[in-house]
Amino acid sequence: MIPGGVNSATRRIGPPWAFDSARGARVVDLDGRDYLDFHAAFGAVLLGHADERVARPAAAAAARMDLVGLGVTALEVELAELVVEAIPCAEMTISTMSGSEAVAQAVRLARAVTGRRRILKFQGCFHGSYDAVARNVISPPERTGRWDPLSSGILPDALEHTLVAEFNDLASVQSLLEEHSGEVAAVLLEPTPHNVGALLPEPGFLEGLRELSSQHGALLVFDEVISGFRHALGGFQELSAVTPDLTTFGKAVGNGYPIAGLAGRADLLSEFSSAGGPVMLAGTFNGTASATAAAIATISVLKDPEVAFYEHVYGLGDRMRAGLREITGDLGVPATTTGLGSVFVTYFLDGPVRSYRDLLRNDDHAYLTFHRRMSERGFLMYPMALKRNHLSLAHTADDVDRTLEVADQVLRVMLRDGDLAGAERAR
Ligand SMILES: Cc1ncc(COP(=O)(O)O)c(C=O)c1O
């Protein structure tokens, strides 16, 4: 009855998975198999599954009020205050149900306030299902930087107005902005492109984008749907000290509950019809009580000095990355382990990794086999090339050490079975 048996196409990967429960760092499938979860719902789970500190207030909010859909609630105001306090660019904020909706609102708002049609995005960045941004993520070599829609059924017009630049390459941005002078409404990016693992901005890149956007009258929009609240309470913009005009957030902010948002300059967000402006703001479920309470509770845990969330996940991430580097180094496997804080990824290629084009050198077979074999042994790593892994507050140093032990075994088996062609070449 469900096409393909799943409600989001990227869930149909590997064996036909069906899950029964999820608690802490572990998930259990319908056959009773237990997995240590590094998929974490594509990063939507930051504290661990079914964390009581979130589940309880969310349930209490739901018991008191589901949704009135008129006016505002105290929960929505409290969340807005927390967001504005946490995120550097946030003078105002709105709640949405999903990251895709937040991005759609950002793009429409940018077009409305600038009176321009075009958006500039980057090869390798994903921004959800909205038509205007649905192109050029994990592109094959021949379509990298070229025409590569994510779906049929999108009006070509919607995609043609979206330009594609190269991450960490300011010259590619400058030349597109000059070629389309006066036409670009927004420069939109994941500041740490995690939809292809973990590309990290080189020093000066985000600063350069800030300058170029302002120079050319385009808004700078950070899509922090993955990085927001995960890498720092204020997102990657807090760490980089580069402040965009608008930012989206989602996933981790609700620790698994459906909530996302858009934040930014007050003069921009005041253009929404809710404030009397010309840009439509609509959404039946925006600000629903349980998800809003979940986001408030998640942020409260992230802020709690006794929990020391960021210390915990950065510590585990460093331990995991160092361990993976050591193992692949000792085995002579050509690999590049990278990431930031709670996100880690091992590409099967020789570095450095600066932009999507470098990732075309990844040995996809090795990557996939590694993730698949880890998952078969109960360490759930999403079995698709370039996809990242996530640590949460519920993971422990012991979890990391056990993962490393098994990773070592898996890589040895892969070497034996000839699943690491790059290693053969290196010998
Ligand atoms: C960076 C980024 N933006 C937007 C989205 C879309 O969010 P959602 O799936 O909640 O619509 C995603 C989803 O993976 C994302 O990674």
Side-chain angles (χ1 to χ4, degrees):
M1 286 128 331
I2 305 174
V6 293
N7 278 310
S8 183
T10 47
R11 295 180 189 176
R12 188 171 176 227
I13 188 143
W17 267 313
F19 287 96
D20 182 53
S21 65
R23 286 193 83 79
R26 315 201 70 88
V27 295
V28 181
D29 72 15
L30 284 177
D31 298 322
R33 283 206 59 184
D34 202 88
Y35 300 81
L36 186 64
D37 186 14
F38 293 117
H39 174 50
F42 280 113
V45 176
L46 190 54
L47 306 181
H49 292 283
D51 189 292
E52 284 289 323
R53 290 162 291 191
V54 176
R56 234 182 286 118
R64 182 185 167 89
M65 176 201 289
D66 37 24
L67 182 68
V68 175
L70 193 64
V72 73
T73 61
L75 289 171
E76 288 167 87
V77 175
E78 189 179 346
L79 177 58
E81 282 170 352
L82 289 170
V83 167
V84 166
E85 189 189 26
I87 300 180
C89 81
E91 293 171 356
M92 277 188 167
T93 183
I94 58 163
S95 273
T96 62
M97 289 285 291
S98 68
S100 297
E101 291 165 88
V103 168
Q105 298 282 14
V107 169
R108 186 182 284 159
L109 181 62
R111 284 179 166 149
V113 298
T114 59
R116 297 172 173 191
R117 292 178 171 214
R118 291 190 190 275
I119 301 296
L120 189 152
K121 82 178 278 288
F122 292 82
Q123 176 69 55
C125 289
F126 177 67
H127 303 290
S129 57
Y130 180 52
D131 281 3
V133 293
R135 64 176 296 183
N136 294 83
V137 185
I138 300 186
S139 303
E142 68 280 9
R143 296 210 292 270
T144 294
R146 295 163 178 256
W147 184 247
D148 188 26
L150 298 185
S151 175
S152 63
I154 301 177
L155 285 179
D157 267 15
L159 292 168
E160 277 162 13
H161 283 96
T162 300
L163 309 168
V164 180
E166 184 117 354
F167 195 76
N168 273 332
D169 182 354
L170 283 175
S172 75
V173 178
Q174 183 164 7
S175 85
L176 285 170
L177 287 172
E178 283 170 2
E179 188 185 335
H180 301 279
S181 176
E183 295 177 8
V184 177
V187 173
L188 168 69
L189 71 151
E190 294 177 73
T192 52
H194 281 313
N195 278 287
V196 288
L199 295 177
L200 300 176
E202 292 181 336
F205 178 64
L206 296 178
E207 290 82 352
L209 288 183
R210 178 63 281 179
E211 215 172 295
L212 281 172
S213 306
S214 301
Q215 241 172 44
H216 288 265
L219 299 184
L220 181 62
V221 184
F222 281 5
D223 181 352
E224 299 229 44
V225 164
I226 296 175
S227 53
F229 296 95
R230 174 173 287 280
H231 292 327
L233 198 65
F236 193 75
Q237 60 197 270
E238 178 187 323
L239 300 179
S240 68
V242 174
T243 306
D245 300 296
L246 293 172
T247 194
T248 55
F249 54 93
K251 292 196 196 283
V253 69
N255 204 49
Y257 286 74
I259 186 159
L262 170 67
R265 280 168 35 198
D267 63 315
L268 300 175
L269 272 85
S270 298
E271 293 297 307
F272 278 124
S273 50
S274 52
V279 185
M280 177 170 71
L281 178 61
T284 301
F285 293 111
N286 291 356
T288 193
S290 54
T292 307
I296 292 167
T298 303
I299 295 173
S300 306
V301 175
L302 296 177
K303 284 175 73 167
D304 186 342
E306 295 203 354
V307 173
F309 168 84
Y310 295 101
E311 261 176 74
H312 179 78
V313 294
Y314 272 72
L316 293 187
D318 287 344
R319 191 181 183 106
M320 185 72 92
R321 285 183 288 273
L324 287 167
R325 280 184 198 121
E326 196 181 318
I327 291 168
T328 52
D330 286 353
L331 294 177
V333 173
T336 300
T337 295
T338 181
L340 178 70
S342 56
V343 171
F344 66 95
V345 57
T346 297
Y347 298 119
F348 288 87
L349 51 71
D350 283 319
V353 171
R354 295 182 62 243
S355 79
Y356 181 76
R357 278 184 196 280
D358 296 314
L359 300 180
L360 293 172
R361 298 197 312 273
N362 184 51
D363 180 342
D364 287 355
H365 171 77
Y367 196 105
L368 222 127
T369 307
F370 178 59
H371 277 222
R372 213 166 39 216
R373 295 247 166 101
M374 289 300 292
S375 298
E376 284 163 7
R377 284 165 173 74
F379 297 81
L380 191 57
M381 293 185 173
Y382 188 75
M384 184 195 277
L386 307 186
K387 288 301 178 190
R388 66 200 176 274
N389 300 294
H390 312 84
L391 291 152
S392 74
L393 186 61
H395 287 90
T396 63
D398 184 52
D399 288 334
V400 171
D401 294 346
R402 284 187 309 109
T403 306
L404 292 171
E405 252 174 58
V406 173
D408 184 71
Q409 293 162 13
V410 162
L411 288 168
R412 284 175 194 277
V413 172
M414 286 173 62
L415 272 172
R416 186 199 66 198
D417 293 351
D419 286 316
L420 287 161
E424 294 305 313
R425 279 198 299 274
R427 266 144 207 251

